[in-house]
Each structure stands twice: as C-alpha cells, then as structure tokens.
Amino acid sequence: MDDQRPYSPGLKGVIAGETSLAFIDGAKGRLLYRGYPIGEVVEHGTYAQVCELLWTGEWPAHAELACAVLPRGVVEALRQLPATANAMDALRTGVAAWGAIEGIAYPPTPDQARRLTATSPSILAAFGRLREGREPIAPDPSLNLAAGFLYQLRGEKPDAAGAKALEAYFMVGAEHGFNASTFTARVITSTHSDMASAVAGAIGALKGPLHGGAPSEVVNQLHEMGSPEQAEAWIRGALDRGERLMGFGHRVYRAYDPRAAALRKVAEGLSSVADWLQTAVAVEEIALRVLKEYKPDYPIMTNVEYYAAAVLQGVGLPPNLFPSIFALGRHAGWTAHCIEQASADVLIRPDMRYVGPAERHLPVAAAGATAAH
Ligand code: ACO
C-alpha cells in the first residue's frame, strides 16, 4: 500500500514495449514505416505494399491484396444484426465470427494477417448492404482492397480518383505505434490468444470517440458551426463548456500530425469535396489560434482525423461508416503488431497502485469477535 514506484496515469510517456514497425517523432511531426517517411509511402506506394512491409519487413516491387470471399457463417452472423447496429459492432462481430469459423490459432502469421486484412472490407461492405435491405455481393479479384471495398459496398466499379483517395487513406492509417487499439491487440496476443481475437478487441478499443470516432464528429462540428464566420464563437463556446474539438490534439504529436498533412493533399485532389475543404481549412486556422490561447503550454494541433473527414466525404462514404473504414486500414498495423508481439513473447501485465481501504474486517467477523468476549 505504500508503493512508491513511479505512476503515470493512462501510461502517458511510459515505454512499455519495443517495435520495428513505426517511428513516431511527436516533437517534429514525423512518421516512418520501418524507416520510410509516410509522405513518400503515400506518394509512391500501395496499401498492399505497406501491408507486406509491416508484416514481413520487405518492401516488395509489386504486391496484391484483393477482398476475400466471406464464409457463409460470417454473412449469416451479420444478417442477425439490426439495421441500426453500429458499423464498428458489425465489423467486430464479423471478425469474431470469421475467427471462430476459420479456426485461427496462435501464433499469428503473415498469412493470417493477409487473410484477415482481405476479409474485413468484405465484412463491412456486406453489413453496409444488409442494413439497407440489399444482398452482399461477391468480391472482384481484379480490384485492390480499397477499390474492391467500394465495389462490394455499392455494386458498381468506383471512379479512379475515389479509389485512389481511399487507398491513400488506408496507407496513412495503416500503423501508428502503441495507440489504445494496438495496445489492446498486443495485450491479447501476449496471452497467446489468436489474431482474430486480438483484432476484434482492437476494434472495440477503436470504437471509442477519443480514438477512432473523431472524423464523423468533425463533420458534425463543421455542420453545427455553419460557416467560418461563426466558427470562432462556436469554438469558444465549446471550449468554455469544457468540450473537446474533434480532429485536434494527440497523445504523441506536439507538432502538426504528418498524416493530416498527407491527407490534406489527397483531399485537395478530390473535386467532390472542394467547398467543404475550403471551409475546413478556414476553420482549422481559427481552431488552432483559439486552442493556443486556451492552452498556451500544451500544443494542441490538427490530427489525422480532421482531414480524414474530408477524404472520406470526398469518396462519398457516409459518416456512420468512418470509424470502421479507419479500422480497415489499421488492420495492417494491428496484425503486424500481433506478429511482432508473438516474436517478443512476453505477457503484458502491468501493476496498479492500490488506493482502496487499508486492511479491515467484515462487520460479521467483528460482531462475532465482540460476542465471544
Ligand atoms: N480540444 C480541447 N481541449 C483539448 C483537446 C481538444 N481536441 N485535446 C486535448 N485537450 C485538452 C484537455 O481538455 C486537457 O485539458 P485540461 O488539462 O485542462 O484538463 C489537456 O488538453 C490535456 O488533455 P489529455 O487528454 O490529457 O491529452 P492527450 O494529449 O492525451 O489527448 C486526445 C489526446 C485524447 C486525442 C485529445 O487530444 C482529444 O480528446 N482530442 C479530440 C478527439 C480526437 O480528435 N481524437 C482523434 C485522435 S487521433 C486518433 O486516435 C487516430
């Protein structure tokens, strides 16, 4: 009870593992995947190459990853969900059912990672159709994961610009160190549980609005503000009420999130979102100025979710799918962490400081003791 070991609430600043996957330089706003800067990866790579890089350590000249055919039992599980179900719950359910049906076992492997990463877009697309009373459709093996997901969701081949933007979004969101969902996946793997369980748990952690729920909130906030002219009053009102501005702030970045910069570039290439983007850029400037005034000693900058909202809107995806689409891209990192965790093979089990009552006795024991006297 007099434990004097250092304690960091929320594990803030604690180094709790080692990784070769991503290097995040929060002070300078840099993100490297196995050494490669995120900007270069998005400009010259594909999501399939990023996946292979994270799973195997190699950057292949060519890599292909198409959406997988769903086992019938997974579709049946999705059919049981109400149309009103949260898409993250549906994705988590689909992944859990897939793991049970396929008998995914420890240890995690690159092949399991390929199969799961290729299955989840089909799960989400199937749910997207079922909730609208439409039947799921089979994947087109000639399309990559991003284009294939859009095809399975809508039933028609996506336009090249939209598919390319979603592919970039997947690359940008593929991996980001020891965030809450990745931590969850590693804890689950550390007990020698399987990759499907780890990813189902990670989806549960990502569902929370402080982690993966922000892009749809960004859309709502901009909608509520109405215009850049009204933004400042709206932002001050929200901060005075102790609310958080979605799309701003990060546990690690004290500088501009490099993923936000990469996605802003992608959004600028999408004509479908031009007006919205103009508003978002104007509001961002005001928000950064006001946040600096409110928190002069704690830099709160734009995070990845702010421009993710622009890209996903530009691709024409509904805000209630945004967090689950982020989850699709993050499969690369989650599954790579499962593999890395298994090779380190150490149970993650930290301690807690006990702050409850000192040792005492139940009333019944105390009463019994008195009666004996
Ligand atoms: N708006 C207003 N105030 C903020 C914000 C924000 N976006 N972010 C942090 N703060 C304030 C907090 O209120 C707190 O103030 P206090 O000390 O007066 O209580 C202070 O800054 C520190 O907050 P913490 O939560 O301790 O800081 P942390 O850096 O760990 O927060 C987090 C990171 C949770 C992402 C936070 O910035 C936040 O809630 N942002 C909004 C949600 C969001 O955009 N999430 C997406 C993150 S990106 C991702 O997960 C993929």
Side-chain angles (χ1 to χ4, degrees):
M1 286 186 208
D2 57 349
D3 195 339
Q4 292 308 312
R5 287 176 295 170
Y7 162 48
S8 176
L11 299 179
K12 212 169 187 168
V14 170
I15 295 180
E18 288 185 319
T19 185
S20 311
L21 300 173
F23 174 68
I24 304 160
D25 182 346
K28 294 203 181 113
R30 281 193 311 152
L31 169 63
L32 314 178
Y33 289 167
R34 290 198 190 269
Y36 300 121
I38 186 67
E40 273 179 42
V41 167
V42 172
E43 205 174 329
H44 303 294
T46 65
Y47 181 65
Q49 285 173 306
V50 169
C51 287
E52 291 299 329
L53 174 72
L54 295 174
W55 295 331
T56 67
E58 300 297 322
W59 180 264
H62 299 287
E64 283 180 9
L65 193 62
C67 293
V69 176
L70 291 180
R72 217 182 54 205
V74 172
V75 180
E76 291 313 313
L78 296 173
R79 276 190 209 286
Q80 303 307 313
L81 302 178
T84 52
N86 182 303
M88 289 293 268
D89 291 334
L91 182 60
R92 194 191 61 236
T93 303
V95 168
W98 177 83
I101 292 164
E102 298 289 301
I104 299 302
Y106 185 89
T109 62
D111 185 54
Q112 288 178 358
R114 276 181 208 108
R115 287 166 58 207
L116 178 50
T117 303
T119 298
S120 286
S122 302
I123 292 172
L124 189 60
F127 172 71
R129 292 180 72 81
L130 287 167
R131 72 177 180 175
E132 289 172 358
R134 296 183 295 170
E135 276 303 297
I137 53 175
D140 177 341
S142 72
L143 298 175
N144 69 24
L145 223 56
F149 166 68
L150 292 171
Y151 166 68
Q152 281 194 94
L153 185 68
R154 297 173 176 159
E156 55 191 45
K157 292 254 165 78
D159 68 280
K164 196 162 170 260
L166 187 61
E167 169 99 355
Y169 177 68
F170 280 178
M171 285 189 265
V172 163
E175 156 58 5
H176 208 248
F178 234 171
N179 52 78
S181 57
T182 300
F183 185 68
T184 306
R186 286 192 77 132
V187 169
I188 293 173
T189 304
S190 82
T191 68
H192 288 198
S193 184
D194 64 283
M195 186 184 273
S197 298
V199 169
I203 293 168
L206 186 67
K207 183 182 167 194
L210 293 191
H211 189 9
S216 48
E217 295 296 325
V218 170
V219 176
N220 293 342
Q221 281 187 355
L222 284 175
H223 189 71
E224 280 176 30
M225 285 177 206
S227 70
E229 291 70 44
Q230 289 153 328
E232 183 151 350
W234 191 97
I235 290 167
R236 287 185 186 279
L239 294 178
D240 287 342
R241 288 190 299 277
E243 291 170 13
R244 292 178 177 219
L245 293 186
M246 292 296 150
F248 295 91
H250 198 273
R251 176 57 69 84
V252 180
Y253 291 118
R254 303 276 64 90
Y256 203 93
D257 185 335
R259 303 168 300 166
L263 284 183
R264 179 173 164 174
K265 254 194 201 171
V266 173
E268 282 165 356
L270 287 170
S271 54
S272 48
V273 79
D275 290 348
W276 195 90
L277 187 62
Q278 213 178 358
T279 307
V281 170
V283 168
E284 181 192 17
E285 257 179 49
I286 299 164
L288 290 175
R289 174 167 52 77
V290 177
L291 281 167
K292 198 168 174 188
E293 189 187 308
Y294 273 66
K295 287 257 164 264
D297 302 325
Y298 191 72
I300 300 174
M301 307 293 275
T302 315
N303 69 43
V304 63
E305 307 287 27
Y306 194 75
Y307 285 106
V311 169
L312 294 174
Q313 286 220 120
V315 178
L317 291 160
N320 63 18
L321 285 188
F322 287 3
S324 46
I325 293 168
F326 182 80
L328 296 184
R330 185 49 64 83
H331 270 56
W334 286 336
T335 51
H337 275 280
C338 292
I339 296 166
E340 190 174 58
Q341 178 63 39
S343 65
D345 196 15
V346 56
L347 179 70
I348 299 175
R349 203 297 189 194
D351 287 344
M352 289 187 107
R353 179 178 290 170
Y354 179 71
V355 294
E359 183 172 350
R360 53 185 173 160
H361 299 286
L362 287 172
V364 59
T370 313
H373 276 273

Short mmCIF file of all heavy atoms in Angstrom, two decimals, residues 279-324:
data_model
loop_
_atom_site.label_atom_id
_atom_site.label_comp_id
_atom_site.label_asym_id
_atom_site.label_seq_id
_atom_site.Cartn_x
_atom_site.Cartn_y
_atom_site.Cartn_z
N THR A 279 -13.93 25.35 -46.34
CA THR A 279 -14.44 25.68 -45.01
C THR A 279 -13.55 25.06 -43.95
O THR A 279 -13.18 25.70 -42.96
CB THR A 279 -15.89 25.14 -44.84
OG1 THR A 279 -16.66 25.63 -45.93
CG2 THR A 279 -16.50 25.56 -43.53
N ALA A 280 -13.20 23.77 -44.14
CA ALA A 280 -12.39 23.06 -43.14
C ALA A 280 -11.05 23.75 -42.93
O ALA A 280 -10.58 23.89 -41.80
CB ALA A 280 -12.18 21.61 -43.58
N VAL A 281 -10.43 24.21 -44.01
CA VAL A 281 -9.12 24.87 -43.90
C VAL A 281 -9.26 26.18 -43.12
O VAL A 281 -8.45 26.49 -42.23
CB VAL A 281 -8.52 25.12 -45.31
CG1 VAL A 281 -7.29 26.01 -45.24
CG2 VAL A 281 -8.17 23.79 -45.98
N ALA A 282 -10.33 26.94 -43.43
CA ALA A 282 -10.54 28.21 -42.73
C ALA A 282 -10.82 27.98 -41.25
O ALA A 282 -10.28 28.68 -40.37
CB ALA A 282 -11.70 28.96 -43.39
N VAL A 283 -11.63 26.98 -40.94
CA VAL A 283 -11.97 26.68 -39.54
C VAL A 283 -10.73 26.18 -38.80
O VAL A 283 -10.52 26.51 -37.63
CB VAL A 283 -13.13 25.65 -39.47
CG1 VAL A 283 -13.30 25.12 -38.07
CG2 VAL A 283 -14.42 26.28 -39.98
N GLU A 284 -9.91 25.39 -39.48
CA GLU A 284 -8.69 24.86 -38.84
C GLU A 284 -7.81 26.00 -38.33
O GLU A 284 -7.32 25.95 -37.19
CB GLU A 284 -7.91 24.00 -39.84
CG GLU A 284 -6.64 23.40 -39.26
CD GLU A 284 -5.73 22.80 -40.32
OE1 GLU A 284 -5.88 23.12 -41.51
OE2 GLU A 284 -4.85 22.01 -39.94
N GLU A 285 -7.66 27.01 -39.16
CA GLU A 285 -6.81 28.15 -38.77
C GLU A 285 -7.32 28.81 -37.49
O GLU A 285 -6.56 29.10 -36.57
CB GLU A 285 -6.84 29.20 -39.89
CG GLU A 285 -5.60 29.19 -40.74
CD GLU A 285 -5.71 30.23 -41.84
OE1 GLU A 285 -6.06 31.40 -41.55
OE2 GLU A 285 -5.46 29.84 -42.98
N ILE A 286 -8.64 28.99 -37.45
CA ILE A 286 -9.26 29.64 -36.29
C ILE A 286 -9.11 28.73 -35.06
O ILE A 286 -8.73 29.18 -33.98
CB ILE A 286 -10.76 29.93 -36.56
CG1 ILE A 286 -10.89 30.86 -37.76
CG2 ILE A 286 -11.45 30.49 -35.33
CD1 ILE A 286 -12.27 30.93 -38.37
N ALA A 287 -9.38 27.44 -35.25
CA ALA A 287 -9.31 26.49 -34.12
C ALA A 287 -7.91 26.45 -33.52
O ALA A 287 -7.74 26.48 -32.30
CB ALA A 287 -9.74 25.11 -34.60
N LEU A 288 -6.89 26.42 -34.39
CA LEU A 288 -5.51 26.34 -33.88
C LEU A 288 -5.16 27.60 -33.09
O LEU A 288 -4.51 27.53 -32.05
CB LEU A 288 -4.52 26.15 -35.05
CG LEU A 288 -4.58 24.78 -35.73
CD1 LEU A 288 -3.66 24.72 -36.94
CD2 LEU A 288 -4.22 23.65 -34.75
N ARG A 289 -5.64 28.75 -33.59
CA ARG A 289 -5.36 30.02 -32.88
C ARG A 289 -6.04 30.03 -31.51
O ARG A 289 -5.42 30.34 -30.49
CB ARG A 289 -5.85 31.19 -33.74
CG ARG A 289 -5.75 32.54 -33.05
CD ARG A 289 -5.94 33.70 -34.01
NE ARG A 289 -7.13 33.64 -34.85
CZ ARG A 289 -8.37 33.92 -34.42
NH1 ARG A 289 -8.57 34.27 -33.17
NH2 ARG A 289 -9.39 33.84 -35.24
N VAL A 290 -7.31 29.61 -31.47
CA VAL A 290 -8.06 29.65 -30.20
C VAL A 290 -7.52 28.60 -29.22
O VAL A 290 -7.36 28.87 -28.03
CB VAL A 290 -9.58 29.47 -30.46
CG1 VAL A 290 -10.35 29.43 -29.15
CG2 VAL A 290 -10.11 30.58 -31.36
N LEU A 291 -7.18 27.43 -29.73
CA LEU A 291 -6.64 26.37 -28.85
C LEU A 291 -5.33 26.84 -28.21
O LEU A 291 -5.06 26.58 -27.03
CB LEU A 291 -6.42 25.08 -29.63
CG LEU A 291 -7.66 24.23 -29.88
CD1 LEU A 291 -7.39 23.15 -30.93
CD2 LEU A 291 -8.18 23.58 -28.59
N LYS A 292 -4.52 27.55 -28.99
CA LYS A 292 -3.24 28.06 -28.48
C LYS A 292 -3.49 29.06 -27.35
O LYS A 292 -2.77 29.08 -26.34
CB LYS A 292 -2.47 28.74 -29.61
CG LYS A 292 -1.02 28.92 -29.33
CD LYS A 292 -0.29 29.33 -30.59
CE LYS A 292 1.15 29.65 -30.27
NZ LYS A 292 1.85 30.23 -31.38
N GLU A 293 -4.54 29.84 -27.52
CA GLU A 293 -4.89 30.83 -26.49
C GLU A 293 -5.38 30.13 -25.22
O GLU A 293 -5.02 30.51 -24.11
CB GLU A 293 -6.00 31.70 -27.08
CG GLU A 293 -6.36 32.91 -26.29
CD GLU A 293 -7.60 33.56 -26.90
OE1 GLU A 293 -7.61 33.84 -28.13
OE2 GLU A 293 -8.56 33.75 -26.15
N TYR A 294 -6.18 29.07 -25.37
CA TYR A 294 -6.73 28.36 -24.21
C TYR A 294 -5.70 27.50 -23.51
O TYR A 294 -5.76 27.31 -22.30
CB TYR A 294 -7.92 27.48 -24.64
CG TYR A 294 -9.25 28.20 -24.64
CD1 TYR A 294 -9.51 29.24 -25.54
CD2 TYR A 294 -10.26 27.86 -23.75
CE1 TYR A 294 -10.71 29.91 -25.55
CE2 TYR A 294 -11.48 28.53 -23.75
CZ TYR A 294 -11.70 29.54 -24.65
OH TYR A 294 -12.90 30.20 -24.66
N LYS A 295 -4.80 26.93 -24.29
CA LYS A 295 -3.81 26.01 -23.70
C LYS A 295 -2.42 26.42 -24.15
O LYS A 295 -1.77 25.73 -24.94
CB LYS A 295 -4.09 24.58 -24.18
CG LYS A 295 -5.30 23.94 -23.56
CD LYS A 295 -4.90 22.95 -22.48
CE LYS A 295 -6.04 22.59 -21.59
NZ LYS A 295 -6.13 23.33 -20.36
N PRO A 296 -1.93 27.57 -23.66
CA PRO A 296 -0.65 28.08 -24.17
C PRO A 296 0.52 27.14 -23.91
O PRO A 296 1.49 27.12 -24.66
CB PRO A 296 -0.48 29.41 -23.43
CG PRO A 296 -1.48 29.42 -22.33
CD PRO A 296 -2.55 28.44 -22.65
N ASP A 297 0.42 26.30 -22.85
CA ASP A 297 1.57 25.46 -22.51
C ASP A 297 1.45 24.02 -23.03
O ASP A 297 2.32 23.19 -22.76
CB ASP A 297 1.73 25.40 -20.97
CG ASP A 297 1.90 26.80 -20.41
OD1 ASP A 297 2.52 27.62 -21.10
OD2 ASP A 297 1.37 27.06 -19.30
N TYR A 298 0.35 23.71 -23.72
CA TYR A 298 0.18 22.33 -24.20
C TYR A 298 -0.25 22.39 -25.67
O TYR A 298 -1.44 22.56 -25.97
CB TYR A 298 -0.90 21.63 -23.34
CG TYR A 298 -0.97 20.14 -23.56
CD1 TYR A 298 0.02 19.30 -23.07
CD2 TYR A 298 -2.04 19.56 -24.25
CE1 TYR A 298 -0.05 17.93 -23.26
CE2 TYR A 298 -2.11 18.19 -24.44
CZ TYR A 298 -1.11 17.38 -23.95
OH TYR A 298 -1.18 16.02 -24.14
N PRO A 299 0.73 22.27 -26.59
CA PRO A 299 0.38 22.42 -28.00
C PRO A 299 -0.66 21.40 -28.45
O PRO A 299 -0.46 20.19 -28.29
CB PRO A 299 1.71 22.19 -28.73
CG PRO A 299 2.77 22.31 -27.70
CD PRO A 299 2.15 21.95 -26.39
N ILE A 300 -1.78 21.90 -28.95
CA ILE A 300 -2.84 21.02 -29.49
C ILE A 300 -2.97 21.35 -30.97
O ILE A 300 -3.39 22.44 -31.34
CB ILE A 300 -4.18 21.25 -28.75
CG1 ILE A 300 -4.00 20.95 -27.26
CG2 ILE A 300 -5.28 20.39 -29.34
CD1 ILE A 300 -5.22 21.27 -26.41
N MET A 301 -2.55 20.39 -31.80
CA MET A 301 -2.51 20.63 -33.25
C MET A 301 -3.54 19.76 -33.97
O MET A 301 -4.17 18.90 -33.36
CB MET A 301 -1.11 20.29 -33.79
CG MET A 301 0.03 20.98 -33.06
SD MET A 301 0.02 22.75 -33.29
CE MET A 301 0.91 22.84 -34.83
N THR A 302 -3.64 19.99 -35.27
CA THR A 302 -4.56 19.21 -36.09
C THR A 302 -4.12 17.74 -36.09
O THR A 302 -2.93 17.47 -36.21
CB THR A 302 -4.52 19.73 -37.54
OG1 THR A 302 -4.57 21.16 -37.49
CG2 THR A 302 -5.67 19.18 -38.37
N ASN A 303 -5.06 16.81 -35.95
CA ASN A 303 -4.69 15.40 -36.05
C ASN A 303 -5.25 14.77 -37.32
O ASN A 303 -6.02 15.39 -38.06
CB ASN A 303 -5.06 14.62 -34.77
CG ASN A 303 -6.57 14.48 -34.58
OD1 ASN A 303 -7.30 14.20 -35.51
ND2 ASN A 303 -7.01 14.66 -33.34
N VAL A 304 -4.88 13.52 -37.55
CA VAL A 304 -5.21 12.81 -38.80
C VAL A 304 -6.71 12.82 -39.10
O VAL A 304 -7.13 12.86 -40.25
CB VAL A 304 -4.68 11.35 -38.73
CG1 VAL A 304 -5.33 10.56 -37.61
CG2 VAL A 304 -4.84 10.62 -40.03
N GLU A 305 -7.52 12.81 -38.03
CA GLU A 305 -8.97 12.65 -38.25
C GLU A 305 -9.59 13.86 -38.92
O GLU A 305 -10.64 13.75 -39.54
CB GLU A 305 -9.67 12.40 -36.90
CG GLU A 305 -9.10 11.25 -36.08
CD GLU A 305 -9.43 9.90 -36.65
OE1 GLU A 305 -9.64 9.79 -37.88
OE2 GLU A 305 -9.46 8.93 -35.87
N TYR A 306 -8.96 15.02 -38.76
CA TYR A 306 -9.56 16.24 -39.31
C TYR A 306 -9.67 16.13 -40.84
O TYR A 306 -10.74 16.34 -41.41
CB TYR A 306 -8.71 17.45 -38.91
CG TYR A 306 -9.43 18.76 -39.14
CD1 TYR A 306 -10.44 19.17 -38.29
CD2 TYR A 306 -9.10 19.59 -40.22
CE1 TYR A 306 -11.11 20.36 -38.49
CE2 TYR A 306 -9.76 20.79 -40.43
CZ TYR A 306 -10.76 21.16 -39.56
OH TYR A 306 -11.42 22.35 -39.77
N TYR A 307 -8.54 15.78 -41.48
CA TYR A 307 -8.59 15.68 -42.95
C TYR A 307 -9.08 14.31 -43.43
O TYR A 307 -9.48 14.16 -44.57
CB TYR A 307 -7.25 16.09 -43.56
CG TYR A 307 -7.12 17.60 -43.51
CD1 TYR A 307 -6.27 18.22 -42.60
CD2 TYR A 307 -7.92 18.40 -44.30
CE1 TYR A 307 -6.20 19.60 -42.51
CE2 TYR A 307 -7.87 19.78 -44.22
CZ TYR A 307 -7.01 20.38 -43.32
OH TYR A 307 -6.97 21.75 -43.23
N ALA A 308 -9.09 13.34 -42.52
CA ALA A 308 -9.72 12.06 -42.86
C ALA A 308 -11.19 12.31 -43.20
O ALA A 308 -11.75 11.73 -44.13
CB ALA A 308 -9.62 11.08 -41.70
N ALA A 309 -11.80 13.20 -42.42
CA ALA A 309 -13.22 13.51 -42.66
C ALA A 309 -13.40 14.05 -44.07
O ALA A 309 -14.35 13.66 -44.77
CB ALA A 309 -13.68 14.54 -41.63
N ALA A 310 -12.48 14.90 -44.52
CA ALA A 310 -12.60 15.47 -45.87
C ALA A 310 -12.46 14.38 -46.93
O ALA A 310 -13.24 14.31 -47.89
CB ALA A 310 -11.53 16.54 -46.06
N VAL A 311 -11.45 13.50 -46.75
CA VAL A 311 -11.21 12.46 -47.76
C VAL A 311 -12.41 11.51 -47.83
O VAL A 311 -12.90 11.19 -48.92
CB VAL A 311 -9.91 11.69 -47.43
CG1 VAL A 311 -9.77 10.45 -48.30
CG2 VAL A 311 -8.71 12.59 -47.61
N LEU A 312 -12.88 11.07 -46.68
CA LEU A 312 -13.96 10.08 -46.69
C LEU A 312 -15.24 10.69 -47.25
O LEU A 312 -16.01 10.01 -47.95
CB LEU A 312 -14.17 9.53 -45.28
CG LEU A 312 -12.98 8.71 -44.75
CD1 LEU A 312 -13.19 8.29 -43.31
CD2 LEU A 312 -12.73 7.47 -45.62
N GLN A 313 -15.48 11.96 -46.95
CA GLN A 313 -16.64 12.63 -47.55
C GLN A 313 -16.48 12.75 -49.06
O GLN A 313 -17.42 12.55 -49.80
CB GLN A 313 -16.78 14.04 -46.99
CG GLN A 313 -17.30 14.08 -45.60
CD GLN A 313 -18.29 15.23 -45.47
OE1 GLN A 313 -19.44 15.03 -45.14
NE2 GLN A 313 -17.82 16.42 -45.76
N GLY A 314 -15.25 13.07 -49.47
CA GLY A 314 -14.97 13.23 -50.90
C GLY A 314 -15.17 11.93 -51.66
O GLY A 314 -15.57 11.93 -52.83
N VAL A 315 -14.90 10.80 -50.99
CA VAL A 315 -15.09 9.49 -51.62
C VAL A 315 -16.59 9.14 -51.62
O VAL A 315 -17.01 8.19 -52.27
CB VAL A 315 -14.24 8.42 -50.89
CG1 VAL A 315 -14.44 7.03 -51.47
CG2 VAL A 315 -12.76 8.79 -50.97
N GLY A 316 -17.37 9.91 -50.89
CA GLY A 316 -18.83 9.70 -50.88
C GLY A 316 -19.28 8.65 -49.88
O GLY A 316 -20.32 8.02 -50.06
N LEU A 317 -18.48 8.47 -48.82
CA LEU A 317 -18.84 7.46 -47.81
C LEU A 317 -19.63 8.11 -46.68
O LEU A 317 -19.35 9.26 -46.31
CB LEU A 317 -17.57 6.79 -47.29
CG LEU A 317 -16.90 5.92 -48.35
CD1 LEU A 317 -15.44 5.67 -48.03
CD2 LEU A 317 -17.65 4.59 -48.51
N PRO A 318 -20.61 7.41 -46.10
CA PRO A 318 -21.42 8.02 -45.05
C PRO A 318 -20.67 8.12 -43.73
O PRO A 318 -19.94 7.19 -43.36
CB PRO A 318 -22.60 7.04 -44.91
CG PRO A 318 -22.12 5.75 -45.45
CD PRO A 318 -21.05 6.05 -46.45
N PRO A 319 -20.83 9.23 -42.98
CA PRO A 319 -20.09 9.42 -41.72
C PRO A 319 -20.26 8.25 -40.74
O PRO A 319 -19.34 7.96 -39.99
CB PRO A 319 -20.68 10.71 -41.16
CG PRO A 319 -21.08 11.48 -42.37
CD PRO A 319 -21.55 10.46 -43.37
N ASN A 320 -21.40 7.56 -40.77
CA ASN A 320 -21.53 6.48 -39.79
C ASN A 320 -20.65 5.26 -40.13
O ASN A 320 -20.54 4.34 -39.34
CB ASN A 320 -22.99 6.09 -39.53
CG ASN A 320 -23.68 5.55 -40.76
OD1 ASN A 320 -23.03 5.13 -41.72
ND2 ASN A 320 -25.00 5.54 -40.74
N LEU A 321 -19.99 5.29 -41.28
CA LEU A 321 -19.02 4.22 -41.60
C LEU A 321 -17.57 4.67 -41.33
O LEU A 321 -16.64 3.86 -41.41
CB LEU A 321 -19.13 3.79 -43.06
CG LEU A 321 -20.31 2.92 -43.48
CD1 LEU A 321 -20.12 2.44 -44.92
CD2 LEU A 321 -20.51 1.71 -42.57
N PHE A 322 -17.35 5.96 -41.07
CA PHE A 322 -15.96 6.47 -40.98
C PHE A 322 -15.08 5.68 -40.01
O PHE A 322 -13.98 5.25 -40.39
CB PHE A 322 -15.93 7.95 -40.58
CG PHE A 322 -16.38 8.92 -41.65
CD1 PHE A 322 -16.85 8.49 -42.88
CD2 PHE A 322 -16.34 10.28 -41.41
CE1 PHE A 322 -17.26 9.40 -43.85
CE2 PHE A 322 -16.74 11.19 -42.37
CZ PHE A 322 -17.21 10.75 -43.59
N PRO A 323 -15.50 5.47 -38.74
CA PRO A 323 -14.58 4.77 -37.83
C PRO A 323 -14.26 3.35 -38.31
O PRO A 323 -13.12 2.89 -38.17
CB PRO A 323 -15.35 4.72 -36.50
CG PRO A 323 -16.38 5.80 -36.62
CD PRO A 323 -16.73 5.89 -38.07
N SER A 324 -15.24 2.69 -38.89
CA SER A 324 -14.98 1.31 -39.32
C SER A 324 -14.08 1.28 -40.55
O SER A 324 -13.32 0.33 -40.75
CB SER A 324 -16.29 0.56 -39.58
OG SER A 324 -17.15 1.37 -40.35
#
